[in-house]
Amino acid sequence: MYYSNAILTLVVTPLLSAPLIYLIGRLFMRTGRAGAASNASQLASLLALAGTWKAYIDIVLQFNRSSATALRYITGSVPLQVDGLSILLAGLALTLGTLVVIYSRMYMRNEDGEEKYYAMLVAMTGAMIGLACAADLFNLWVWFEVMALTSYLLVAFYREQKASLEAGVKYLVQSAAGSSLVLLAIALVFMETGTLDLYRIGASAVGTPLMLAAGALFVAGFGVKAALVPFHTWLPDAHAQAPSGISAMLSGVVIEAGLVALLRAISALMAVTLSWGVLLMIFGALNMLVGNLIALKQTQVKRLLAFSSLSHVGYMVMGLGIALHAGTAAGATGGVFHLINHGLMKGLAFLAVGALLYALHIAKGSHNPLTISDLAGAAKRYPLATLALSIAVLGLGGLPPLAGFMSKWQILVAGVQANNRLIFYLVIFAALNSVLSLGYYAPIVNAVYRQKPSAAVLNGSSLPLSMQVPMVLLLLAVVVLGLWPGLVQWLTDPAGNAIMATFGGY
Amino acid sequence: MFNEMNVLMLGILGLFAVGLYALLAVRNLIKIVVALQILVKGAIMAFILAGKINGHMQTAQSVALTVIVADTMVAVIGLALAVQVKRRLGTLDVNELTSLRG
């Protein structure tokens, strides 16, 4: 059990260090020097994340050396597992979490309660890592709830702003109602099978009416967090009103973590019905269409990006649905590849928009939303941020040499290879949606590069280095993954195989 | 007819029905937080019933305790938000929270 310590460290470090980060921040606040509290809590966050990174790298090395599909480790009565999907989600959460901690240095400076922000951010990262590693239905729910609790507080962080409060209330009510439905579903599964372990449930689940009801409740409950379409109405408000670093986390990993939780839960109920694949494909089509159509009429940039997250969840769900329905591992691999790419591209887009929002509004103490017309001609004054934003949105729109194209292409190819007429129509629908999405991405690029600078841009303040470094790193990642998509095959192949293995081993 | 299983089952259904109805019908933010609590209480009773049926009562009880802790935290955050909403907007009516649309 040489890897057991590493798994425990990976899951526990961020959660245990979150209260310490808060305390350190409070202690340094007593010294009364300007910025002491924020420097201290940010440094403590980075140290905690560094410890987590070390455990993560240990586990990845062990995992690649062993031939097992999942490393399992039971501490007390809490079973943990590390398979391809956990490594992928934990890696994405850690990457974005670390970059957002660096990014928030100036963005959050002098906000009231800055030390709470860093503590919550680290706790949220830890909760997502735990969710990725949970091997027990109830633990899955507990991690899910911790992630939700921290994100409620982060969404409503600007508590003097009416809009933030409103977004926080909507998010809390919908998400809490969803998680109580998940809890009922877990109770039903427990009633029927007498166990909470995902593997043993998968072995004994049969299609009784109670299990079918549990499956439906799982889809509705986790669907709220994963933003499947009829349950998505909290998403644009929450993602647009949160501080920009948090928007990047919410859009980049939190909704994907909800999707992974949904996958884990229904993978245990795989034998209950044969229609999971079809259900996921229907949700995929709905998400793509609704997300794109509403995004087309948005004028605020952050709201537009939030709606585009809906359509990208659609692509992931569609890839996974193709994989489950037709039994092709390529669909699952494409789906998780899009999960990584969307995390990086949407993270980059929100960080770039946040940098511009900071320069044009927040540095002057105003909380007005950033509109597309504010961005007119911003390329002259902010070349790096606007380049990052343009590359990110063009990648999201799926232009060829960028990361988003590669994963969309992989999903579409998997769909064509499935040799099924309905899936073929779905592939055409998805490709058309991808073109439609350029209808709202292109105006941003156009405004940034081809219009006369607006008054807001001319009066804007300069961008600090702590915002530019994370943007440059993510920008490089998006371009490099587009040119050499094979670089993350060591992540996506095991994750795709893990999904196929949990869904009954095709 | 009136054995304890049936009473528990009716209790679960009743709590979920009341909770979902209240979520849809009630406009006061604090009452909405109460409605969320009622929903989760129904789920806790479902766990107890499940433990009773399949004989794993210890697991069911430990799960129930964990859920009580977790959903208390949701209630705390919900009420904290309600306090802020009352301070900034001067009302607890959720129908007044309509500045974000489209």
Side-chain angles (χ1 to χ4, degrees):
Chain A
M1 299 295 272
Y2 36 83
Y3 51 82
S4 55
N5 275 336
I7 297 184
L8 205 57
T9 320
L10 175 73
V11 172
V12 166
T13 312
L15 278 184
L16 285 190
S17 46
L20 288 180
I21 293 166
Y22 172 70
L23 285 178
I24 290 172
R26 295 301 286 191
L27 278 181
F28 275 82
M29 195 171 274
R30 296 260 177 86
T31 63
R33 267 179 294 135
S38 67
N39 285 342
S41 46
Q42 197 191 18
L43 194 62
S45 314
L46 284 177
L47 280 177
L49 288 175
T52 320
W53 267 112
K54 184 178 175 302
Y56 177 72
I57 291 169
D58 280 353
I59 289 174
V60 170
L61 293 178
Q62 294 289 355
F63 183 77
N64 285 353
R65 226 174 288 154
S66 72
S67 54
T69 49
L71 306 175
R72 276 171 70 78
Y73 169 57
I74 295 175
T75 158
S77 60
V78 179
L80 297 170
Q81 63 168 353
V82 173
D83 63 1
L85 195 55
S86 347
I87 288 187
L88 186 139
L89 185 65
L92 189 60
L94 267 177
T95 311
L96 277 184
T98 314
L99 291 178
V100 168
V101 168
I102 299 172
Y103 175 88
S104 303
R105 183 178 172 76
M106 291 311 288
Y107 195 93
M108 301 311 293
R109 176 142 293 186
N110 300 329
E111 293 289 347
D112 192 17
E114 212 185 334
E115 69 284 353
K116 286 179 218 153
Y117 172 88
Y118 287 114
M120 286 297 157
L121 183 54
V122 173
M124 186 161 83
T125 313
M128 275 183 282
I129 296 172
L131 190 150
C133 297
D136 172 310
L137 213 42
F138 183 64
N139 282 309
L140 191 71
W141 181 83
V142 171
W143 292 116
F144 182 76
E145 197 67 7
V146 174
M147 179 181 91
L149 285 170
T150 47
S151 55
Y152 303 148
L153 289 169
L154 287 170
V155 164
F157 185 78
Y158 295 126
R159 60 177 186 277
E160 301 83 28
Q161 302 298 317
K162 287 177 185 171
S164 299
L165 279 177
E166 182 183 336
V169 168
K170 281 182 186 170
Y171 183 30
L172 182 130
V173 171
Q174 296 196 17
S175 187
S179 72
S180 68
L181 295 186
V182 171
L183 207 53
L184 183 63
I186 297 174
L188 293 182
V189 171
F190 181 54
M191 200 181 290
E192 198 80 340
T193 61
T195 177
L196 289 167
D197 190 309
L198 286 171
Y199 282 76
R200 281 194 261 159
I201 293 170
S204 61
V206 282
T208 58
L210 269 188
M211 292 296 256
L212 265 180
L217 288 170
F218 275 134
V219 172
F222 284 129
V224 172
K225 206 40 158 262
L228 299 180
V229 145
F231 318 114
H232 70 282
T233 47
W234 60 272
L235 181 138
D237 300 343
H239 289 204
Q241 295 305 323
S244 296
I246 299 308
S247 309
M249 288 292 278
L250 287 178
S251 251
V253 267
V254 172
I255 54 177
E256 281 84 349
L259 192 59
V260 168
L262 175 63
L263 269 184
R264 291 264 198 236
I266 64 175
S267 75
L269 304 185
M270 188 55 194
V272 171
T273 163
L274 296 173
S275 322
W276 291 121
V278 178
L279 187 72
L280 288 185
M281 283 192 282
I282 293 173
F283 273 120
L286 260 178
N287 261 46
M288 279 186 260
L289 189 65
V290 172
N292 279 336
L293 287 183
I294 309 183
L296 272 176
K297 59 172 193 176
Q298 298 302 317
T299 52
Q300 301 174 14
V301 188
K302 282 180 82 171
R303 240 178 132 72
L304 187 154
L305 289 175
F307 276 111
S308 98
S309 291
L310 280 185
S311 65
H312 284 273
V313 168
Y315 286 104
M316 292 171 221
V317 171
M318 176 186 144
L320 297 167
I322 290 171
L324 297 192
H325 189 65
T328 50
T333 319
V336 292
F337 187 27
H338 198 61
L339 198 153
I340 300 183
N341 283 344
H342 175 252
L344 297 177
M345 293 184 297
K346 195 50 74 62
L348 176 61
F350 268 118
L351 292 189
V353 169
L356 292 167
L357 178 66
Y358 173 82
L360 302 186
H361 291 311
I362 291 186
K364 299 193 181 58
S366 123
H367 274 281
N368 291 337
L370 188 73
T371 60
I372 297 182
S373 49
D374 283 346
L375 284 179
K380 288 247 164 44
R381 191 153 154 61
Y382 304 105
L384 177 68
T386 50
L387 179 70
L389 180 59
S390 312
I391 295 286
V393 293
L394 292 179
L396 287 166
L399 283 200
L402 298 167
F405 170 75
M406 289 299 163
S407 44
K408 280 184 185 176
W409 181 250
Q410 200 174 345
I411 293 171
L412 300 189
V413 168
V416 173
Q417 282 172 345
N419 250 336
N420 177 321
R421 179 176 294 180
L422 277 176
I423 295 183
F424 186 69
Y425 289 143
L426 184 65
V427 165
I428 295 176
F429 180 73
L432 289 176
N433 262 298
S434 189
V435 177
L436 177 63
S437 71
L438 282 176
Y440 54 86
Y441 292 132
I444 300 180
V445 182
N446 185 45
V448 164
Y449 281 105
R450 300 193 50 204
Q451 290 179 3
K452 286 254 164 15
S454 66
V457 168
L458 289 176
N459 297 323
S461 59
S462 62
L463 287 184
L465 184 67
S466 60
M467 287 187 186
Q468 294 178 0
V469 172
M471 279 195 280
V472 170
L473 291 175
L474 280 174
L475 184 60
L476 284 177
V478 170
V479 174
V480 167
L481 277 188
L483 293 175
W484 294 283
L487 283 179
V488 285
Q489 221 164 1
W490 63 274
L491 272 173
T492 54
D493 279 354
N497 291 337
I499 292 174
M500 297 317 283
T502 50
F503 276 98
Y506 284 102
Chain B
M1 179 64 195
F2 283 107
N3 62 12
E4 55 193 348
M5 298 281 187
N6 284 350
V7 172
L8 268 179
M9 191 75 91
L10 283 177
I12 297 164
L13 288 177
L15 283 176
F16 260 85
V18 171
L20 286 176
Y21 172 76
L23 265 190
L24 296 175
V26 161
R27 301 190 328 192
N28 185 313
L29 194 47
I30 291 178
K31 288 183 184 165
I32 287 180
V33 175
V34 174
L36 289 174
Q37 291 291 298
I38 292 175
L39 274 180
V40 178
K41 295 303 176 282
I44 294 175
M45 268 176 90
F47 268 106
I48 299 301
L49 178 65
K52 185 98 183 139
I53 288 177
N54 62 25
H56 293 82
M57 203 51 179
Q58 286 170 329
T59 317
Q61 284 178 348
S62 58
V63 165
L65 280 177
T66 320
V67 174
I68 290 172
V69 174
D71 90 301
T72 306
M73 289 196 283
V74 175
V76 167
I77 296 177
L79 291 176
L81 279 181
V83 169
Q84 293 292 340
V85 167
K86 176 75 180 169
R87 268 193 205 150
R88 312 288 163 196
L89 279 79
T91 171
L92 280 171
D93 191 342
V94 285
N95 287 5
E96 306 282 315
L97 292 173
T98 50
S99 66
L100 301 169
R101 278 178 181 278

